[in-house]
Amino acid sequence: KKVLVICPASVKRQWCKEVQKFTDKSCVVIEGTQKHREQQYARDNTFFIVNYELIIKDLPVLNLRTWDMVIADEVSRIKNWKSKTKSAMIQVKTNFKLGLTATPIENNIQELYSIFSWINPDVLGTYWNFINEYCYFSSNTYGGFQITGIKDAKKLHETLKSTMTRRKKVE
């Protein structure tokens, strides 16, 4: 009934056109001043299209309801698990989440963790358990650690299989 689509600002209108093309549901592109956006969120639409930059600013209004679904287009925007955007997205109340990206996420295992910790935090567990199970790491010169590689990539792939659909470029 209420779907929040979070996407880059440059494709908000395109998302609305596609919703109208493929469904009979109403949609609104969220934009303008804070007061104007609050009025837009109060509308009786099905799809609410908002860009990533507004998630942080609009979090109090977004959390006046539990969204039936949140779709994150270019979910690789939350690949940094310490970012304000990622933190805000975790706080948005929703029943279902869908992340879409065309950006390969196999280059950095921490980015993969960040995205999946938003989509379904139970799949990979805590960060500490995740790195112990799937990462090689060593201490760095600052007294911390750095990840140096992936261990048991097949097991990781199997773990993510039911949660992730992956296409190769040739497909």
Side-chain angles (χ1 to χ4, degrees):
K1 294 179 182 178
K2 298 293 179 190
V3 179
L4 180 66
V5 177
I6 305 167
C7 62
S10 61
V11 297
K12 287 195 305 190
R13 297 210 177 279
Q14 184 63 36
W15 259 97
C16 200
K17 285 179 188 175
E18 297 296 323
V19 165
Q20 292 168 342
K21 181 178 175 182
F22 291 103
T23 76
D24 62 348
K25 306 297 181 192
S26 58
C27 92
V28 61
V29 174
I30 305 296
E31 56 193 358
T33 65
Q34 180 71 38
K35 186 175 182 174
H36 189 72
R37 293 193 312 269
E38 288 175 11
Q39 293 168 348
Q40 291 171 332
Y41 286 118
R43 291 184 186 171
D44 190 29
N45 291 80
T46 302
F47 286 86
F48 296 77
I49 318 295
V50 64
N51 53 295
Y52 281 94
E53 294 77 12
L54 292 179
I55 294 299
I56 299 165
K57 294 177 184 177
D58 294 353
L59 191 58
V61 178
L62 289 168
N63 278 337
L64 292 175
R65 71 166 50 120
T66 297
W67 297 88
D68 295 307
M69 176 178 257
V70 172
I71 300 171
D73 184 12
E74 285 307 326
V75 74
S76 59
R77 294 279 299 264
I78 62 166
K79 64 186 179 183
N80 179 354
W81 60 280
K82 295 178 184 177
S83 72
K84 289 180 183 178
T85 304
K86 167 74 184 299
S87 177
M89 285 185 63
I90 287 173
Q91 295 176 59
V92 174
K93 296 181 277 189
T94 182
N95 295 318
F96 298 97
K97 298 174 189 172
L98 176 65
L100 307 169
T101 185
T103 306
I105 53 177
E106 65 229 3
N107 298 333
N108 184 324
I109 194 150
Q110 291 163 300
E111 293 173 4
L112 177 75
Y113 179 82
S114 180
I115 292 167
F116 269 89
S117 68
W118 173 74
I119 293 171
N120 186 343
D122 296 333
V123 171
L124 296 176
T126 66
Y127 185 66
W128 180 251
N129 288 339
F130 171 74
I131 62 170
N132 278 314
E133 183 139 0
Y134 297 109
C135 301
Y136 292 114
F137 56 94
S138 61
S139 57
N140 63 26
T141 56
Y142 304 106
F145 65 90
Q146 63 187 29
I147 294 175
T148 57
I150 301 171
K151 62 181 173 185
D152 210 350
K154 284 185 180 185
K155 181 178 178 185
L156 179 59
H157 179 73
E158 282 299 313
T159 300
L160 299 177
K161 196 176 187 178
S162 66
T163 311
M164 182 168 102
T165 301
R166 185 170 180 233
R167 290 189 322 227
K168 296 180 181 171
K169 197 171 187 174
V170 295
E171 296 172 322

